[in-house]
Amino acid sequence: MNINFKHVWIVLKKELKDAFRDRKALLVNIILPMLFIPVIFIIASVAAKSAYEVKPEKTHICVIGKENSKQIVLMLEKSEFQIVDVDNPKKQLQDGKIKAILVIPKDFENSLLQEKQTSIQILTNEADMKSSNVGNILSNMINEYSKQIVKQRLVSKNLDPSIIEPIVIKKENVAPPKKQSATFLAFLIPMFLTLWAALGGMNAAIDITAGEKERGTLEPLLTTAATRTSIVTGKYLAVSIMALLAGLSSLIGVIVSFVLLPTALGEGFKNTPFSGYSVSPITVLIMLLVVILTAIIFAAIEVAIAAYARSFKEGQTYLSPISIIVVIPPYLTMYKMPNELTNTYFVLPLVNAISVLKELIYDIVNLEHLGLFIISSLVYIIISIKFAARMFENEKVLFRN
């Protein structure tokens, strides 16, 4: 391998100058990741809060047969659900204008007085989260009312009400607030960080290989005193730097999301899935390491594939599947808790980066897993760089018709 670092530096400077002249690429690859993640966090926070939050005082429900139970109606009015009269209640429920329908049968009060079993029907729209949530709230209210009636009956017969409830279930959520937030973040953050690190150098890789072929500037470059190893090294370093800048930009976006958004949004950020979550400096440093290694691996792969293309457009065609491949590992690990991730996950390409990031989101730093990730990533870096160098040195590939 004949490499001249002076030539590498000349090629690197030239490619970086070209890359930084492309203002559109800089906007998409470096500025956009920094802004995109905080914006996604705001949207996700507002959407999650809106989907799960039910405000009884503002939630409209319809009660069919109000005259059949004054007690039920009184209970609903005290709960501050707003009972509205509408034409065609089912249609209104399907359209989302009311959130539930309660149907009280005609013989409801008589059945209770005669100590017979009766029923109440609750209609909800399960395609609407708020409607589903309202249905659960109404079910709980009716169940509580039913228990009170049973207790009254038992007391009237001089029986202890506790005999119908031999076991009292007391549920307690022991998950710290930070870990509850992590369930939402463990999918989003690894995907965003690896996505930008993988795609950040793509345009540069295409431009300095297939783009140069198309412009007819590659052949004169290969006739200079610089060896092909020096040229491909300089180009590869330029692509790696662009990919690293994109990855760093996305990491800054993550830090901004946790440090500045809670202060900027104030009350609007409270009670969202991300409120109360923070990242430590150690977590950020390991995330930086993951971003760097991921960017270096993808830079070499993109240079190798783009070198095979005959034009910029053809290069985009060959490299576009990478954007789909990158989002598959986050889905593979989406339903896995950190303690379910075996050593294999920390060795597989790209899955290892996602798995380490997932552990970090749960505030876990496992040195064995981190070591497996670093070693396997270094192996993939060596393989991908050799692959890129081989592609660049093969004239049949580089100048194919």
Side-chain angles (χ1 to χ4, degrees), residues 170-362:
K170 294 182 180 177
K171 293 176 71 176
E172 184 181 357
N173 182 8
V174 298
K178 186 172 181 178
K179 289 207 171 180
Q180 290 186 69
S181 304
T183 56
F184 289 89
L185 298 170
F187 173 73
L188 292 178
I189 291 181
M191 184 174 69
F192 287 143
L193 289 180
T194 52
L195 187 67
W196 290 111
L199 303 183
M202 188 181 288
N203 274 338
I206 298 171
D207 187 60
I208 65 178
T209 52
E212 284 219 39
K213 283 187 193 177
E214 197 171 16
R215 294 190 294 272
T217 55
L218 184 60
E219 288 188 32
L221 180 63
L222 295 175
T223 59
T224 61
T227 62
R228 292 196 180 187
T229 304
S230 301
I231 293 171
V232 73
T233 304
K235 288 179 177 291
Y236 167 65
L237 289 176
V239 175
S240 297
I241 289 171
M242 296 308 293
L244 276 174
L245 288 176
L248 287 176
S249 176
S250 62
L251 189 57
I252 291 171
V254 171
I255 296 168
V256 167
S257 300
F258 292 128
V259 175
L260 297 183
L261 279 187
T263 306
L265 297 179
E267 290 294 323
F269 200 71
K270 286 184 178 177
N271 300 322
T272 67
F274 313 122
S275 61
Y277 190 85
S278 60
V279 287
S280 66
I282 293 292
T283 299
V284 173
L285 285 176
I286 299 175
M287 282 182 174
L288 178 63
L289 175 68
V290 174
V291 167
I292 290 172
L293 293 177
T294 305
I296 292 173
I297 292 171
F298 275 91
I301 293 171
E302 287 161 5
V303 168
I305 296 174
Y308 182 75
R310 287 171 290 200
S311 65
F312 194 95
K313 192 174 180 181
E314 193 176 310
Q316 286 180 316
T317 304
Y318 291 153
L319 290 178
S320 56
I322 289 179
S323 59
I324 299 171
I325 292 169
V326 172
V327 298
I328 293 174
Y331 282 99
L332 286 175
T333 59
M334 185 175 177
Y335 298 106
K336 295 279 185 185
M337 291 299 289
N339 62 345
E340 296 174 319
L341 297 172
T342 60
N343 287 348
T344 307
Y345 285 86
F346 297 88
V347 175
L348 297 173
L350 193 58
V351 178
N352 55 4
I354 297 289
S355 301
V356 170
L357 289 172
K358 183 158 190 158
E359 282 192 337
L360 292 174
I361 298 300
Y362 280 91

Side-chain angles (χ1 to χ4, degrees), residues 90 96 108 397:
K90 278 192 178 179
F108 184 78
V397 172

Side-chain angles (χ1 to χ4, degrees), residues 353-393:
I354 297 289
S355 301
V356 170
L357 289 172
K358 183 158 190 158
E359 282 192 337
L360 292 174
I361 298 300
Y362 280 91
D363 213 15
I364 298 171
V365 179
N366 186 315
L367 294 179
E368 182 186 357
H369 291 165
L370 193 58
L372 286 172
F373 162 73
I374 293 171
I375 292 169
S376 59
S377 295
L378 291 175
V379 171
Y380 296 133
I381 287 172
I382 293 169
I383 294 172
S384 55
I385 290 176
K386 282 192 173 182
F387 176 52
R390 185 71 61 84
M391 292 290 281
F392 217 79
E393 288 169 358

